[in-house]
Amino acid sequence: MRNLRIKLAYDGTDFHGWQVQPNRRTIQGALQEALAEIEGDTVEVHGSGRTDAGVHALGQVASFHLKNRIPADNLRRAVNRLLPDAIRVLEADEADADFHPRRRAISKTYEYRIWRGEVCPPFSSRYVYHHPYPLNEEAMAKAANAFAGTHDFRSLAAGGEEKESTVRTIFSSRLEKDGDLLTYRVRGEGFLYRMVRNIVGTLFEVGRGNFAAEDVARILAAKQRSQAGPTVPARGLFLVEVQFRAATGS
Amino acid sequence: MRNLRIKLAYDGTDFHGWQVQPNRRTIQGALQEALAEIEGDTVEVHGSGRTDAGVHALGQVASFHLKNRIPADNLRRAVNRLLPDAIRVLEADEADADFHPRRRAISKTYEYRIWRGEVCPPFSSRYVYHHPYPLNEEAMAKAANAFAGTHDFRSLAAGGEEKESTVRTIFSSRLEKDGDLLTYRVRGEGFLYRMVRNIVGTLFEVGRGNFAAEDVARILAAKQRSQAGPTVPARGLFLVEVQFRAATGS
């Protein structure tokens, strides 16, 4: 059977996240339905990782096996015709037999978008977290840098992962301002459940003056969820890109 | 009573247009409800003109009378708290007693956005008309220019206006390309019902080669709706701006 790899974008607002669930609209569920219609049989789609309800993607990667001989480019068009407008397959290619988007991934990039203007444009409200109140953005940017490196991120994990290692390497962690848009951009080898939203919640506490940028080291060392900031809403979060190692290394 | 003027933006996707209708979500209806809550009495909102179901606005202007003495800026914030995210009041100011956004308007600017890329990004799908098929965009741009000037636009009116004058002056009418986005931008003293969407539908017929750019003069002279192109979908249309004459001229 062929192994196909797709890159997709989605507006997660009206979906219960990536993972298929009975009687719920999910991204994986919508993809599997569309592909089953083309294949005439059930198709199991593997993602590079789950995204939560309301989280968006600019470049999620998934793979699946297919008996159907339809050329990859025609498949992309056919799937897009069957999918809702909120999910779009951007690219489709033949992958090597062993390709699996979760196992082959070496890093992922996420963005969290915060709208700082007093009025949030109605065309952006599904894609940003609106926070027009005072924040010390300079201190937040300094705190953002402090998450880079290899750390035990237990304080930033939503829980339930206590038995596995919570050590992760973050390659870059930066806060950037462009007009009214404040964007946190992070690239790491992997992320714990809700880790990006918990980091951003912690940056907010720094922005409000409840933590100093220097407290990040202390929060990480504590290895207790209660020491970090709250989880920010899903609507501002985008899975931007997934990076993979070459096939030979698999 | 005070006369207040507001400038507002809205995502028209989930509304049945501007005008209040029983048991339907409309922009005027949502505004009147929010204002009634602040005033403790019914408030009648006057718009610069109706927008159809699904049409968006970047700068619609409306006015209403209020007994409440709340400062205009506080009113803006209070109304935004009561309105759905899809409608935002951008500005609120005291207006002279005679100000009426329809009667005082001297021109309006609309934009119609067409996505030419093969895949429509899920974050844009509510705000563009997706047309990835071949079009002679050069001929369309030439035809767009031909609508500028004072003409009888009866061929471009949706009907029902036969007894009133269908002569209108269009100050500028242009088609512009920016990457995958093709935008028709038109400024005129006034527009007949569905006129912008019928002009764009006519431009599409030019793009497909069914009309030549030179046919625009013939279509206008025919004064028959059947001579022009079909109405394009509402989702690509934005009311961009309303221009007013100074108060002294009223």
Side-chain angles (χ1 to χ4, degrees), chain B residues 5 12 18-19 23 41 47 51 54 57 94 101 123 158 163 175-177 190 205 216 223 226:
Chain B
R5 162 184 162 153
W18 169 265
Q19 198 180 24
N23 307 317
D41 200 351
T51 49
E94 307 289 336
F123 315 100
K163 284 170 191 165
L175 194 73
E176 275 166 24
K177 190 82 183 271
E205 291 304 298
V216 171
K223 298 178 195 173
S226 61

Side-chain angles (χ1 to χ4, degrees), chain B residues 23-44:
Chain B
N23 307 317
R24 298 265 195 181
R25 268 186 107 195
T26 69
I27 310 291
Q28 190 189 27
L31 279 168
Q32 292 186 166
E33 264 176 51
L35 289 164
E37 199 158 321
I38 293 163
E39 179 77 339
D41 200 351
T42 57
V43 176
E44 198 187 338

Side-chain angles (χ1 to χ4, degrees), chain B residues 117-170:
Chain B
E118 201 203 316
V119 178
C120 185
F123 315 100
S124 303
S125 64
R126 296 155 68 98
Y127 312 121
V128 296
Y129 174 44
H130 185 211
H131 191 91
Y133 313 108
L135 286 174
N136 182 341
E137 295 175 358
E138 215 173 306
M140 290 171 78
K142 203 174 157 193
N145 296 339
F147 286 103
T150 301
H151 306 287
D152 188 329
F153 281 95
R154 185 160 303 195
S155 298
L156 284 308
E161 299 174 274
E162 288 74 11
K163 284 170 191 165
E164 295 177 27
S165 168
T166 44
V167 174
R168 293 290 183 280
T169 297
I170 297 300

Side-chain angles (χ1 to χ4, degrees), chain A residues 9-11 56-58 73 76-77 80 85-90 118-123 125-127 235 238, chain B residues 9-11 56-58 76-77 80 85-90 118-123 125-127 235 238:
Chain A
Y10 46 82
D11 174 345
H56 316 293
L58 297 172
D73 232 43
R76 175 175 56 75
R77 279 189 282 267
N80 279 339
D85 286 346
I87 310 175
R88 292 290 95 180
V89 177
L90 307 175
E118 200 203 317
V119 178
C120 185
F123 315 101
S125 64
R126 297 156 66 99
Y127 313 120
R235 56 169 54 192
F238 287 77
Chain B
Y10 46 83
D11 174 345
H56 316 292
L58 297 172
R76 175 174 56 76
R77 278 189 282 267
N80 279 339
D85 286 347
I87 310 175
R88 291 291 93 181
V89 178
L90 307 175
E118 201 203 316
V119 178
C120 185
F123 315 100
S125 64
R126 296 155 68 98
Y127 312 121
R235 56 170 53 192
F238 288 76

Side-chain angles (χ1 to χ4, degrees), chain B residues 139-232:
Chain B
M140 290 171 78
K142 203 174 157 193
N145 296 339
F147 286 103
T150 301
H151 306 287
D152 188 329
F153 281 95
R154 185 160 303 195
S155 298
L156 284 308
E161 299 174 274
E162 288 74 11
K163 284 170 191 165
E164 295 177 27
S165 168
T166 44
V167 174
R168 293 290 183 280
T169 297
I170 297 300
F171 302 119
S172 70
S173 169
R174 243 181 247 120
L175 194 73
E176 275 166 24
K177 190 82 183 271
D178 181 11
D180 281 333
L181 191 66
L182 186 67
T183 303
Y184 173 64
R185 199 177 167 96
V186 62
R187 189 167 71 85
E189 62 162 4
F191 295 87
L192 304 168
Y193 187 53
R194 298 218 166 142
M195 180 169 147
V196 180
R197 288 161 65 190
N198 292 338
I199 289 177
V200 176
T202 304
L203 296 181
F204 267 97
E205 291 304 298
V206 172
R208 291 185 184 108
N210 297 332
F211 295 149
E214 293 70 24
D215 288 329
V216 171
R218 179 186 58 73
I219 291 165
L220 289 167
K223 298 178 195 173
Q224 286 185 352
R225 178 69 193 90
S226 61
Q227 297 298 302
T231 310
V232 288

Side-chain angles (χ1 to χ4, degrees), chain A residues 141-199:
Chain A
K142 204 174 155 194
N145 295 339
F147 286 104
T150 301
H151 306 288
D152 188 330
F153 282 95
R154 185 160 301 196
S155 297
L156 284 309
E161 299 174 274
E162 288 74 11
K163 286 170 191 166
E164 295 176 27
S165 169
T166 46
V167 175
R168 293 290 185 278
T169 296
I170 298 299
F171 302 118
S172 70
S173 168
R174 242 179 247 120
L175 194 74
E176 276 166 22
K177 190 81 183 273
D178 180 13
D180 281 333
L181 190 66
L182 186 65
T183 303
Y184 173 63
R185 199 177 167 95
V186 62
R187 189 165 73 85
E189 62 163 1
F191 295 88
L192 303 168
Y193 187 53
R194 297 216 167 144
M195 180 169 146
V196 180
R197 288 160 66 191
N198 292 338
I199 289 177

